[in-house]
């Protein structure tokens, strides 16, 4: 038979119970959390779609590898195994482990940037932007115009606007120390970047002699979209495609909590010998010795194994389908969502659903909170709370007001996804709140993690 049902490509060996709560309990939890879902106790959440970062289920093979961890301070066997897997995949010369992706970013940017520099990207992720701005440099988003319109269909909405990149490099080139591309484009909806576009970025980097760095957190999901959506790529394996993508870059930052299929970990990999030496020296100062970088030997083992498992086509087909499955249900019911389905999350368009709530009343927060109250589902706002504060302290609305439902890897089943779709439909078809929220306290940098808010409606 030609199966039409795409099944979970695993069976379950160990389970963890979820905790059910009443609406009253959730209302109290929300109040206590200052209406910021980051501040909830995870115990009060039924289905946790806050992030796909570090929340995946490890395979039996990964747990087996964990027991093989070599905890030697220097030169551990686990490091060499990790290094060999990263080199095989990326072809990059220097592999520097870090405790997670943002540590790789901080080390790279501290070593490579100076005040006044500009770093272009399709869309900078929140920690990437913050780590650039901390160096008094500018994080500039150059995604194609299609990538800013939630409902518009385009196979590679994460693509870089090559014309805009060329204008930047020709007019302000001396201020650009490196070019970045995020695969897939998390802040822009988990949308992929095509191989053709990456080759175009590479050509511009060659012409203007700039190093190209990938923010490679979801390289395998990106490779899957190239495999399924890009002309001539259907016969190539996701791993083969991923290796070509890495071959185009001079370095990458990676959070192994995403496509590393691990609960913690990351790395910086690069070819530039002098930059690698500076990075290792900074690593020793703040993370640890270069053969562990803040990780246990067993973490390095889990990541090494995860990087091998993640490019399995059966896994990637199931992964992409579980997102698309929910998006299809929501589209059929006319709920405004970011389309097409991205690689790791469903993005609801809060501005499209509740246009009467102004951006600086945070419609995404209103929607995410409503979804939690309704069904115990935790999501995250990706809008003006996350991105609306400029470094100079002026608040400006974000490009989009989204609510992200990120799907942890290999954790939830199809019935969980049915429940999530039902919850979103119930909120979207119900009575909308009249007004949004007001911030009562927030730090200056990365405020969305810890801010407290209150509803403006009585
Ligand atoms: C998660 C993520 C990061 C940061 O990685 P952490 O492991 O959370 O520090 C950077 N860029 C993108 C695109 C991400 O999704």
């Amino acid at each position: 038979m030609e199966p039409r049902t795409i099944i979970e490509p695993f069976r379950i060996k160990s389970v963890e119970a979820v905790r059910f709560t009443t609406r009253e309990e959730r209302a109290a939890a929300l109040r206590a959390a200052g209406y910021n879902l980051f501040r909830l106790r995870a115990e009060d959440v039924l289905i946790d779609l806050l992030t796909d970062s570090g929340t995946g289920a490890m395979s039996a093979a990964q747990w087996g590898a964990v027991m093989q961890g070599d905890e030697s301070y220097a030169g551990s066997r686990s490091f060499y195994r990790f290094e060999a897997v990263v080199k095989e995949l990326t072809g990059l010369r220097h592999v520097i482990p870090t405790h997670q992706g943002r540590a790789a970013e901080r080390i790279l940017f501290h070593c490579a940037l100076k005040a006044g520099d500009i770093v272009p990207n399709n869309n900078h992720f929140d920690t990437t932007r913050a780590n650039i701005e901390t160096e008094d440099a500018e994080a500039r988003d150059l995604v194609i115009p299609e990538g800013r319109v939630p409902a518009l269909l385009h196979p590679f909405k994460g693509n870089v606007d090559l014309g805009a990149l060329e204008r930047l490099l020709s007019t302000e080139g001396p201020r650009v120390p490196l070019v970045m591309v995020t695969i897939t484009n998390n802040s822009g909806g988990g949308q992929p970047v095509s191989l053709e576009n990456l080759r175009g970025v590479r050509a511009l980097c060659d012409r203007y002699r700039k190093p190209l760095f990938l923010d490679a957190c979801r390289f395998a999901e990106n490779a899957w979209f190239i495999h399924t959506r890009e002309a001539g790529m259907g016969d190539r394996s996701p791993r083969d495609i991923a290796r070509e993508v890495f071959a185009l870059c001079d370095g990458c930052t990676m959070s192994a909590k995403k496509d590393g299929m691990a609960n913690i970990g990351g790395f910086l990999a690069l070819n530039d010998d002098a930059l690698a030496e500076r990075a290792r020296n900074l690593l020793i100062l703040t993370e640890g010795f270069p053969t562990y970088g803040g990780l246990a030997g067993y973490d390095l083992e889990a990541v090494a194994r995860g990087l091998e498992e993640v490019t399995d086509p059966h896994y990637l087909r199931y992964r992409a389908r579980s997102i698309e499955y929910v998006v299809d249900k929501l589209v059929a019911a006319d709920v405004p969502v970011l389309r097409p389905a991205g690689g790791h999350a469903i993005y609801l368009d809060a501005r499209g659903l509740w246009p009467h709530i102004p951006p600086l009343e945070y419609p995404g927060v209103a929607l995410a909170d409503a979804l939690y109250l309704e069904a115990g589902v935790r999501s995250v706002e990706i809008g003006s709370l996350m991105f609306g504060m400029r470094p100079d302290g002026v608040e400006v609305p974000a490009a989009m007001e989204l609510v992200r439902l990120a799907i942890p890897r290999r954790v939830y089943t199809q019935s969980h996804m049915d429940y999530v779709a039902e919850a979103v439909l119930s909120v979207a078809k119900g009575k909308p709140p009249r007004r949004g929220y007001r911030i009562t306290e927030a730090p200056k940098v990365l405020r969305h993690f810890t801010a407290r808010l209150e509803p403006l409606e009585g």
Side-chain angles (χ1 to χ4, degrees):
M1 83 183 203
E2 270 294 334
R4 290 200 306 121
T5 310
I6 297 170
I7 62 170
E8 283 87 0
F10 49 79
R11 50 188 183 175
I12 296 166
K13 210 180 195 78
S14 179
V15 298
E16 182 180 13
V18 292
R19 197 171 82 88
F20 292 83
T21 51
T22 64
R23 191 181 183 93
E24 289 66 39
E25 286 169 337
R26 292 194 292 276
L30 256 186
R31 226 176 2 259
Y35 298 91
N36 181 346
L37 300 183
F38 275 107
R39 303 184 72 116
L40 287 176
R41 282 173 181 256
E43 263 192 346
D44 293 331
V45 175
L46 181 65
I47 295 189
D48 204 344
L49 309 183
L50 181 71
T51 175
D52 65 321
S53 177
T55 52
M58 292 213 295
S59 65
Q62 282 177 293
W63 284 113
V66 162
M67 289 306 293
Q68 307 279 328
D70 172 2
E71 304 305 337
S72 304
Y73 187 94
S76 93
R77 188 181 61 237
S78 300
F79 170 74
Y80 290 110
R81 184 163 142 57
F82 165 83
E83 184 191 44
V85 171
V86 175
K87 282 187 170 174
E88 183 277 330
L89 175 67
T90 66
L92 294 164
R93 217 164 32 239
H94 301 281
V95 179
I96 300 171
T98 59
H99 78 278
Q100 57 185 89
R102 70 196 68 186
E105 292 167 358
R106 192 190 69 85
I107 288 169
L108 171 65
F109 296 142
H110 193 69
C111 294
L113 305 190
K114 58 181 187 322
D117 280 349
I118 302 169
V119 180
N121 202 331
N122 39 3
N123 283 112
H124 290 274
F125 183 63
D126 58 353
T127 59
T128 317
R129 170 173 296 279
N131 274 300
I132 290 169
E133 290 173 353
T134 293
E135 303 296 333
D136 291 321
E138 182 192 332
R140 195 171 293 181
D141 291 340
L142 298 180
V143 74
I144 53 170
E146 292 89 333
R148 298 175 201 265
V149 188
L152 200 129
L153 288 170
H154 181 290
F156 292 101
K157 281 173 99 170
N159 280 355
V160 175
D161 183 336
L162 296 177
L165 179 59
E166 169 136 47
R167 277 194 296 285
L168 173 68
L169 292 173
S170 64
T171 57
E172 295 181 281
R175 291 174 63 197
V176 179
L178 57 96
V179 173
M180 281 200 98
V181 181
T182 304
I183 57 170
T184 58
N185 190 24
N186 187 1
S187 303
Q191 298 291 320
V193 181
S194 71
L195 189 53
E196 184 190 21
N197 188 253
L198 285 163
R199 287 180 182 141
V201 175
R202 176 75 259 171
L204 285 173
C205 286
D206 286 343
R207 178 135 25 104
Y208 291 90
R209 296 174 187 282
K210 302 295 178 191
L212 170 60
F213 276 77
L214 296 176
D215 180 340
C217 298
R218 297 180 182 81
F219 72 92
E221 290 166 9
N222 200 76
W224 179 255
F225 286 120
I226 290 174
H227 169 77
T228 53
R229 294 182 186 172
E230 193 159 346
M233 292 293 148
D235 291 335
R236 295 180 63 184
S237 71
R239 193 155 194 98
D240 182 38
I241 292 169
R243 293 184 70 217
E244 179 173 346
V245 165
F246 279 116
L248 292 170
C249 75
D250 301 289
C252 69
T253 56
M254 172 78 190
S255 169
K257 303 173 72 171
K258 285 62 172 270
D259 277 351
M261 306 281 257
N263 300 123
I264 196 73
F267 58 84
L268 169 64
L270 69 172
N271 281 334
D272 182 326
D273 298 333
L275 186 57
E277 168 141 359
R278 291 207 300 284
R280 283 200 180 98
N281 288 334
L282 185 55
L283 184 86
I284 291 174
L285 185 67
T286 60
E287 292 272 305
F289 193 71
T291 61
Y292 74 86
L295 295 170
Y298 54 71
D299 295 322
L300 293 166
E301 294 280 351
V303 173
R305 178 73 210 177
L307 289 172
E308 290 171 346
E309 291 180 3
V310 74
T311 44
D312 172 12
H314 293 288
Y315 161 72
L316 287 169
R317 177 180 296 113
Y318 138 80
R319 171 86 179 140
R321 180 59 196 154
S322 55
I323 318 288
E324 187 186 49
Y325 176 74
V326 179
V327 168
D328 285 351
K329 278 176 181 273
L330 299 180
V331 168
D334 287 327
V335 177
V337 290
L338 198 147
R339 297 176 72 195
H344 66 291
I346 298 120
Y347 292 73
L348 309 177
D349 177 7
R351 187 178 289 166
L353 182 66
W354 290 340
H356 62 285
I357 301 181
L360 295 182
E361 287 186 13
Y362 317 110
V365 173
L367 182 54
D369 283 11
L371 197 55
Y372 171 71
L373 187 63
E374 182 78 2
V377 174
R378 175 156 68 171
S379 55
V380 68
E381 186 249 24
I382 300 201
S384 293
L385 178 62
M386 186 180 277
F387 288 120
M389 180 54 81
R390 285 202 319 220
D392 61 7
V394 178
E395 241 198 326
V396 283
M400 297 190 269
E401 302 295 338
L402 303 175
V403 170
R404 186 186 75 180
L405 302 138
I407 310 300
R409 292 171 180 75
R410 305 187 290 203
V411 169
Y412 294 114
T413 64
Q414 185 174 343
S415 68
H416 290 113
M417 294 300 104
D418 285 326
Y419 176 88
V420 167
E422 192 182 325
V424 173
L425 286 181
S426 176
V427 170
K429 302 297 170 197
K431 185 167 170 284
R434 235 170 16 87
R435 301 197 58 188
Y437 285 78
R438 173 180 96 77
I439 295 175
T440 56
E441 59 179 79
K444 282 205 178 61
V445 178
L446 293 174
R447 63 180 183 171
H448 54 286
F449 286 123
T450 53
R452 286 180 168 276
L453 302 99
E454 69 183 17
L456 287 162
E457 188 169 31

